[in-house]
Each structure stands twice: as C-alpha cells, then as structure tokens.
Amino acid sequence: MSDTATTRRQVLRAAAVGAAALGATPFIRSRALAQQEEIRIGALCELSGVASTIGSQQALGIQMAVDEINKTGGVLGKPGIGGRPVRLVLEDTESKVATGLSKAKKLVERDRVHVLTGVIFSSVSLAVQEYLNKEGKVPFINTGSGNPAISEPPACGTYSFALCPSSRLFSLPAAQAAKKYGARWFFIGDDYSWGRNSVELMKEAASLGRKIEIVGEEYPPLGTTNYAPYVTKAIAAKPDVIGLVVFGAGYARIIKQIRQMGVRAHLHHNFWSQIDAVAAGDAVLGMTAGECFTYEHPSAPRMQQFAQAYHALHKAWPDPTAARAYTGVEMLAMALQNGGTTDPLTVVRELRRLRHRNSVMGDVYFRECDHAAVMPIFMVEGRQTEKYGIYPAYVEPAGDPDALLVPCGKTGCEPATKL
C-alpha cells in the first residue's frame, strides 16, 4: 500500500485481513466466539469525495479494531466463554450530507446496527446526529470531525458522542508555537464553519502563550488549488507564524506552495494529517501542529504498539485518524461489554461513565455535559527518519486541556444529554 493514498478498494480488501495484537487489550480473551447473534457496528466513512484521503484511513482503523475484538473473543462474553462476534457494516458517505444521512438511515432501519461510528465532515455528522438523537436512537461516536459544533447546541444529544478532539483541544499547542516562534501571526483557514471557528480558537490559544499581533487572515474556499494569492498577502504582512486550518487535498497543496514561494515564517497547523503531510514531502519538515496521537510517546506505549501493528498490516504508517477510529470502536465495545446488553440507553450510560486509560491515544473520556471527549493533547513537529519517513514527532504537552472548553453547566447541552 502506498504511503500517500488509500483507495476504496484497499479499504474493502482490508476487511479480510486480521489485525495484529496490540498488547494490553481491554477485552476478555475467550476460547472461541459463541454461536450467538452478532453485534453489528455501522460505520459511515468518506471513502470517496473531498475527504476520502483521511476517510479511508478512518475505515482502516475501524476494521482493525473489529478484527482485534473478534480475535480476542468478541463482545458480551465471560472469562473462558466466547462472546458474540462483531460484524462491521461499512458505508461510503461520498463526502456528501444527503448521502451520509441516507446511509445512516439504511444502517439503522435496514441493517439494524447496534451502534454507529465514523464520519469526517462535520456537516455530515450534524445531519446524522439530528436523525439519531430524534429518531434513530442508536449510540454514535464521531471519530473524525474536529468542529466544536457537533457537541454544541443544537447538535448535541443523548445518542451522539464526539471522540475526535475538537479545535478547542487541537488549537492548544498554538500557545507553545507563539512562545517559541513569535508574536506576529497570519491565519489561513478554509472558508466554512470548521475553518473559521478553528482560526478563532487558534487565536485564543496562541494568546495563552503570549500577547500576539494578528497581521492578517484569509479564508480560501474549500478545495482551492491555487493558494498563491493568499500566500502573497501573508508574505506582505511579514508574520513570524502562519497559522493554518486547511483540510483535505488543500492541506498538502498550501504547505507546498508556501515553501515554493520562499516564505520564511514558521508554519503551525491545527492538526496533523499523515497522508497529506507525506504528500507535501519535504515542505512539511519543521511545521508544528496539535495532535493526540503519534508513533512514539513517552507515556503512552500503546501508541507505538498501534503504529507498528498498523504498519505490519498495511506497509504504511497510520494517519492519526486511524488511531481515533480504532479507539472509537474499542470504547463502543467496552460500553457494550460493561453494560452486558445492546440496549441503546444502557450503552449511552456506559459511554458516559467510561474512562479508557490505556487507549492508543492515552487517557480518554467523554464529558457528561456535552459528550465531547477529553484526552492529552501535545505539539508535534514534522520530521523525517529512515524508519518512519516523514512523521509527527512528539515535542511537548499542551497546557491546561480545559483552557478553551466551555465549562460544564454552561454548554447548553445539559438538557439534551441528561439521562
């Protein structure tokens, strides 16, 4: 498999490949899967369209977790007795809201899945969540959308959870970037709600490190191919740091064009995309970003175990999206196991009280007040080694994870998420 792209065909082929063991699994190892009704996990992934580069990575992480759970005995088992097998039902949203909503309804109403996960685009997630919270009533963990809106009114609700760190968390390392690289910042973000919201949060985060001066900001349309006009404005502003919030194929394009135009300012991105960073090549070296996953972390050994297991399967190093997707399935399975049933409200209650201290992203839990995940966030830097090629190297932890979070009691989600 190429390091730069994962095709839809490769995602589907991966369903036939067993996952490598990841050390301390949270599931009970049983002799064999019991001959009982299967547990059906529905996955909505952007396997085609604008978000397919990381949507395909998400699907691979989901499949890897399902394979590992089945390998260790399934779900709802007891020591020495096989649990129920898990079956993944995977659907392509095509990066479209209408398609994503239609596929969600199909998974719930026809396939009768017990739980749902996936989704990259926040617009898709918002539509799916409205349906699930009002009609579908199936527990759903979004593992790919960083838009805070998916865990804010009116999108928050009983059945929806946001595992991917929102920009309220991913933006935190901008404080370290401001301290290290300078106070003059120019921002370039995608021109839709996630891009604009994330720029505002990055401004707040950078200001936690020092008093900053905003020397300009630009919002190219999503899918822009020529960023030169925006980069030219950044050059004229003479910033110390260019703060980037760019998604999909634009991620690699803008970084390469910035370097080709001779920009000397430091680059700091809202998050690290391995697929897109590799596509950017040497241009990404030295860039920093916020992240919750990398291949080597001083206090989270399962990160390295996951990266190595993924590489053994796919001959490429994982995008952080794959790790988040893997963790989402683990947490759904743990909630099913802990509750002893597939009853939707019981699964929701177990997710709310679950603290996954040994996930491949470290210590992870959902806030009861808005079902948004909290986990350790840190700064990474683009580096290159013989082992990994271009990769996100751990630099240092971010500051207070609550710094940009809306305090519980003030989210406006409390009535929607109260059981």
Side-chain angles (χ1 to χ4, degrees):
M1 179 174 295
S2 165
D3 278 339
T4 59
T6 302
T7 67
R8 187 175 188 274
R9 181 179 298 174
Q10 288 166 324
V11 170
L12 297 176
R13 186 189 306 139
V17 181
L22 285 178
T25 174
F27 305 105
I28 297 170
R29 291 189 178 273
S30 304
R31 294 188 189 122
L33 293 176
Q35 298 300 312
Q36 300 182 53
E37 180 189 4
E38 61 197 4
I39 301 293
R40 293 178 296 281
I41 295 181
L44 295 163
C45 298
E46 280 79 347
L47 302 181
S48 58
V50 178
S52 61
T53 54
I54 57 177
S56 297
Q57 286 280 306
Q58 183 182 67
L60 291 176
I62 291 169
Q63 184 66 60
M64 193 170 169
V66 169
D67 290 343
E68 176 65 16
I69 291 165
N70 283 331
K71 182 179 178 180
T72 56
V75 179
L76 298 178
K78 297 179 180 180
I81 302 174
R84 292 164 62 176
V86 176
R87 180 166 71 90
L88 175 63
V89 187
L90 177 64
E91 293 289 349
D92 180 11
T93 72
E94 301 174 7
S95 302
K96 299 174 183 177
V97 174
T99 303
L101 179 58
S102 174
K103 294 293 181 68
K105 290 181 177 180
K106 178 257 184 188
L107 288 169
V108 172
E109 297 168 15
R110 194 177 83 187
D111 298 315
R112 303 190 67 80
V113 297
H114 297 103
V115 291
L116 272 167
T117 189
V119 185
I120 301 295
F121 265 134
S122 57
S123 56
V124 174
S125 193
L126 292 171
V128 170
Q129 288 176 212
E130 181 179 12
Y131 161 68
L132 293 174
N133 287 324
K134 292 181 179 179
E135 300 176 48
K137 298 184 178 180
V138 169
F140 167 60
I141 294 183
N142 177 300
T143 62
S145 302
N147 193 335
I150 69 171
S151 53
E152 295 175 351
C156 47
T158 301
Y159 296 92
S160 55
F161 293 76
L163 180 62
C164 181
S166 80
S167 292
R168 294 186 181 279
L169 292 175
F170 271 150
S171 294
L172 291 173
Q176 280 85 355
K179 288 179 183 178
K180 287 188 173 185
Y181 300 108
R184 292 173 57 82
W185 282 63
F186 191 101
F187 294 91
I188 302 178
D190 286 329
D191 191 14
Y192 73 109
S193 63
W194 170 77
R196 288 182 173 272
N197 289 345
S198 297
V199 165
E200 292 304 314
L201 288 165
M202 193 183 289
K203 290 177 186 177
E204 290 185 46
S207 299
L208 297 173
R210 65 188 299 176
K211 184 177 180 180
I212 67 167
E213 178 185 0
I214 300 169
V215 297
E217 54 192 280
E218 290 291 325
Y219 296 94
L222 182 66
T224 292
T225 56
N226 180 18
Y227 288 93
Y230 309 100
V231 177
T232 298
K233 292 181 181 180
I235 293 172
K238 298 180 180 180
D240 299 316
V241 182
I242 297 179
L244 296 173
V245 184
V246 180
F247 174 75
Y251 190 110
R253 288 189 194 121
I254 191 169
I255 294 168
K256 287 196 289 187
Q257 290 175 25
I258 284 172
R259 298 302 193 199
Q260 289 165 356
M261 294 176 70
V263 176
R264 295 183 178 275
H266 177 75
L267 302 185
H268 181 81
H269 204 290
N270 179 254
F271 70 100
W272 181 272
S273 170
Q274 178 66 10
I275 293 292
D276 298 309
V278 170
D282 292 350
V284 82
L285 299 180
M287 184 185 83
T288 54
E291 251 313 321
C292 64
F293 175 81
T294 186
Y295 308 153
E296 295 181 354
H297 188 286
S299 59
R302 282 196 84 211
M303 286 192 190
Q304 186 171 6
Q305 293 167 359
F306 175 83
Q308 291 174 342
Y310 183 99
H311 189 270
L313 280 174
H314 302 297
K315 311 307 177 190
W317 297 101
D319 189 274
T321 303
R324 292 189 269 277
Y326 181 97
T327 301
V329 175
E330 274 200 336
M331 295 184 77
L332 284 168
M334 292 169 74
L336 286 160
Q337 182 71 37
N338 293 344
T341 177
T342 58
D343 172 68
L345 282 178
T346 300
V347 175
V348 167
R349 290 189 185 97
E350 293 299 330
L351 285 172
R352 287 161 60 95
R353 63 170 60 117
L354 178 62
R355 187 151 191 163
H356 194 354
R357 298 184 184 277
N358 191 33
S359 84
V360 300
M361 301 188 303
D363 186 1
V364 181
Y365 67 93
F366 294 109
R367 302 201 311 172
E368 287 192 11
C369 61
D370 58 5
H371 293 177
V374 179
M375 66 200 70
I377 301 295
F378 45 85
M379 177 188 280
V380 295
E381 181 181 74
R383 297 179 189 169
Q384 188 168 20
T385 66
E386 184 176 349
K387 179 178 180 180
Y388 296 124
I390 291 170
Y391 80 110
Y394 176 88
V395 178
E396 62 182 292
D400 179 8
D402 295 329
L404 301 182
L405 293 178
V406 178
C408 283
K410 298 182 179 180
T411 69
C413 288
E414 286 80 3
T417 57
K418 186 177 181 180
L419 292 179

